[in-house]
Amino acid sequence: MISIKNVSKWYGNFQVLTDCTTEVKKGEVVVVCGPSGSGKSTLIKTVNALEPFQKGDIVVDGISIADPKTNLPKLRSRVGMVFQHFELFPHLTITDNLAIAQQKVLGRSRDEARAKGAKLLERVGLSAHAAKFPGQLSGGQQQRVAIARALAMDPIVMLFDEPTSALDPEMVNEVLDVMVQLAHEGMTMMCVTHEMGFARKVANRVIFMDKGKIEEDCSKEDFFGSPRGERAQLFLSKIL
Ligand code: ADP
Ligand code: MG
């Protein structure tokens, strides 16, 4: 579903990604971890073409991002992304937050978009809050709305960039529970997270990044079960 092939990226003279290669198969959940500044966010943002790269290619569901003929906005609309900060529209109600991109990008009618939004809001357990504004919800609730909003676009893959790291500890699980449920439903997911409980529960593979390189890319069983490279071990010893 996602094929990242020899991707390198520079910010000026600074090489932020070096020859990154990996794949995410349909229905797979891949967890990306690694120290701060190792390039995790940059890598995940290249997958929905939010960040350009200078070398290599990324193919999402058969569509090449490096191909100049590719319609990137169209591709982006099919790749759901959830960020650390929820980035809901503060001046719109939850209902409208869920409907707006469906209407503007997918051309759905207002009624259709609202019906779809309501269904997804129910799925993340927030139907009672439809008429509220984002600022009236807790961080965990806002993040669940952000996930529902991404799902409303019928994405073929979902990307998560540290979706729980800005949350108070008591709200982390309500967001992880939604992600675990998604994983069990067979959604293809690439998740930057340091929640190793989540990784143990649902990841098929774990990628460890350091200094812009993919240093480890292995099954969950191998990642947690057998000795990893020195830097991955050091990292794990700090977060576990
Ligand atoms: P991570 O998500 O693993 O913490 P990032 O992908 O955010 O890492 O950043 C990787 C490196 O790229 C960091 O050293 C960061 O300072 C640098 N970086 C990120 N964005 C920019 C930018 N827009 N311009 C220059 N350097 C950047
Ligand atoms: Mg990051």
Side-chain angles (χ1 to χ4, degrees):
M1 184 64 86
I2 303 172
S3 175
I4 300 175
K5 302 182 204 170
N6 306 104
V7 167
S8 292
K9 173 180 174 69
W10 287 260
Y11 286 117
N13 290 328
F14 174 68
Q15 185 161 12
V16 56
L17 297 176
T18 304
D19 205 22
C20 293
T21 296
T22 191
E23 272 188 354
V24 184
K25 296 193 179 74
K26 192 171 186 332
E28 244 184 351
V29 177
V30 173
V31 162
V32 181
C33 62
S36 179
S38 57
K40 306 178 299 294
S41 295
T42 306
L43 182 70
I44 207 154
K45 280 192 252 169
T46 60
V47 173
N48 70 344
L50 281 177
E51 285 282 359
F53 46 89
Q54 287 82 24
K55 263 196 184 167
D57 195 8
I58 299 179
V59 179
V60 181
D61 198 27
I63 301 164
S64 152
I65 290 181
D67 182 346
K69 293 193 290 291
T70 295
N71 179 341
L72 291 182
K74 187 170 169 210
L75 177 75
R76 235 173 254 138
S77 74
R78 307 197 56 206
V79 177
M81 174 110 197
V82 176
F83 299 92
Q84 182 174 0
H85 300 283
F86 335 113
E87 309 196 14
L88 299 173
F89 299 112
H91 59 292
L92 296 181
T93 62
I94 301 307
T95 293
D96 287 335
N97 262 282
L98 286 162
I100 190 163
Q102 297 185 63
Q103 292 174 248
K104 294 213 161 149
V105 180
L106 302 182
R108 287 180 184 155
S109 71
R110 185 172 180 272
D111 286 351
E112 194 186 356
R114 287 184 161 227
K116 176 107 185 169
K119 216 190 265 171
L120 286 161
L121 207 54
E122 187 181 348
R123 180 162 155 191
V124 298
L126 293 173
S127 296
H129 303 279
K132 292 185 180 167
F133 289 89
Q136 296 173 287
L137 302 188
S138 72
Q141 290 172 329
Q142 289 186 56
Q143 193 60 299
R144 283 147 66 198
V145 171
I147 295 172
R149 181 176 64 170
L151 292 173
M153 304 296 282
D154 294 324
I156 50 172
V157 304
M158 284 285 285
L159 309 177
F160 293 86
D161 189 0
E162 303 207 34
T164 60
S165 59
L167 299 177
D168 291 334
E170 72 270 21
M171 294 169 188
V172 168
N173 279 330
E174 64 189 68
V175 172
L176 291 177
D177 287 348
V178 171
M179 292 169 65
V180 167
Q181 187 195 337
L182 258 185
H184 286 155
E185 287 165 10
M187 177 60 78
T188 308
M189 295 162 67
M190 195 167 173
C191 311
V192 177
T193 181
H194 292 157
E195 293 291 340
M196 290 297 132
F198 171 79
R200 282 178 195 273
K201 221 183 266 178
V202 296
N204 299 99
R205 289 199 348 269
V206 180
I207 288 175
F208 173 74
M209 291 188 73
D210 193 31
K211 301 195 178 82
K213 288 189 186 145
I214 294 179
E215 292 287 352
E216 310 264 354
D217 183 350
C218 56
S219 72
K220 164 180 71 180
E221 290 74 18
D222 280 349
F223 191 78
F224 293 115
S226 52
R228 310 300 343 139
E230 203 176 308
R231 277 181 287 200
Q233 274 189 40
L234 181 68
F235 173 76
L236 282 175
S237 72
K238 282 183 189 154
I239 62 162
L240 290 179

